[in-house]
Amino acid sequence: MLRASGASALTAAGPGDGPAVAIPRDPAREAARRELAKRMYHENDPGLFERALKALANWLDGLFGSAAAPMPGGAVGLWVVVLFIVAVLAALWWRLGTPQRRPTRSAAVLFDDGPRSAAEHRAASEAHAAQGHWSQAVQERMRAIVRALEERTVLDIRPGRTADEAAAEAGRSLPTHTDRLRAAAREFDDVTYGGRAASEQAYHRLAELDRDLERTRPAHADSTADTAHSTSQGAAG
């Protein structure tokens, strides 16, 4: 290997050899580069994966070093903050569950199987409730509510209707229950499409709403009855 500053001199190893040969700087540098490029000098070099790990470790070390400088307690304080954040995120994940993308409105249909009567949905809901399956009980009770309104002609029978649409349409005919109908629709959507577990209290709220709706006359029925009554009184007069 040759190193030169200005020019390098090659001399014979033994006495009596010829005069020293001067090699210019650039050829000497190129000769050294070719020599060092030989495989024998790189047999123990770290592989690509090891170099990547080392680069990552150096980057993380620099990142945490710069972040820990203004942090009370230095690196130890920074790690405490990081562990606290991880613990909070884990608690939120455990409490709320895995986030799920809410489906589009067109896909969030209320009935996903063949037609069943309101009584059949109620029976299924009560069977789930008896076993403590509150999510399924809430789903079936909401379906029973909507099917009962269809059977009473408060709602028209329309395939593909969502729980929100049913609540909004029923609220126009049953204005005293508008808020409860919307809350029931939200409960159904949260359980069915939001991945949340229903509670026993939620089931009882829907069951009570179902019973109250059965005893409530729709607004258009009352107005029709009043009109008929007024017409009969006018004819009698």
Side-chain angles (χ1 to χ4, degrees):
M1 196 181 309
L2 304 176
R3 297 182 58 183
S5 57
S8 298
L10 293 178
T11 59
D17 291 335
V21 180
I23 301 178
R25 177 186 302 173
D26 291 340
R29 185 184 297 114
E30 181 64 21
R33 186 189 64 78
R34 286 196 303 268
E35 179 68 20
L36 293 175
K38 292 180 179 179
R39 185 174 182 179
M40 58 181 293
Y41 296 109
H42 303 281
E43 291 179 350
N44 298 321
D45 287 355
L48 179 62
F49 182 71
E50 294 178 353
R51 292 198 301 270
L53 285 180
K54 184 176 181 180
L56 178 61
N58 291 336
W59 179 78
L60 290 176
D61 184 64
L63 178 65
F64 279 98
S66 60
M71 181 72 63
V76 175
L78 178 61
W79 277 111
V80 170
V81 173
V82 170
L83 292 176
F84 175 76
I85 294 174
V86 171
V88 170
L89 293 176
L92 289 174
W93 179 84
W94 179 82
R95 177 66 178 85
L96 302 178
T98 304
Q100 297 185 12
R101 185 177 63 88
R102 193 181 184 88
T104 59
R105 188 178 180 83
S106 60
V109 294
L110 183 62
F111 299 98
D112 56 1
D113 53 4
R116 289 191 291 167
S117 67
E120 289 174 320
H121 284 296
R122 286 194 188 100
S125 175
E126 291 169 358
H128 285 304
Q131 299 178 32
H133 301 160
W134 304 115
S135 295
Q136 295 89 331
V138 163
Q139 290 172 317
E140 289 298 327
R141 201 72 186 202
M142 184 63 189
R143 291 174 180 136
I145 290 172
V146 176
R147 186 66 79 203
L149 294 176
E150 291 177 346
E151 292 173 354
R152 294 170 57 193
T153 69
V154 176
L155 294 175
D156 62 311
I157 299 176
R158 178 159 55 84
R161 175 186 278 124
T162 67
D164 291 334
E165 290 171 344
E169 294 170 15
R172 290 192 285 270
S173 299
L174 303 164
T176 57
H177 299 293
T178 299
D179 292 340
R180 296 172 68 192
L181 284 165
R182 290 176 178 171
R186 285 195 300 271
E187 192 75 41
F188 176 88
D189 287 343
D190 288 344
V191 169
T192 307
Y193 309 109
R196 295 179 183 273
S199 63
E200 181 179 359
Q201 292 75 15
Y203 166 74
H204 288 302
R205 285 195 296 269
L206 265 71
E208 184 179 0
L209 173 62
D210 188 18
R211 291 189 292 269
D212 290 345
L213 290 174
E214 286 291 301
R215 297 190 293 265
T216 304
R217 296 180 62 184
H220 65 78
D222 292 338
S223 61
T224 301
D226 292 340
T227 301
H229 182 67
S230 300
T231 303
S232 62
Q233 283 184 338

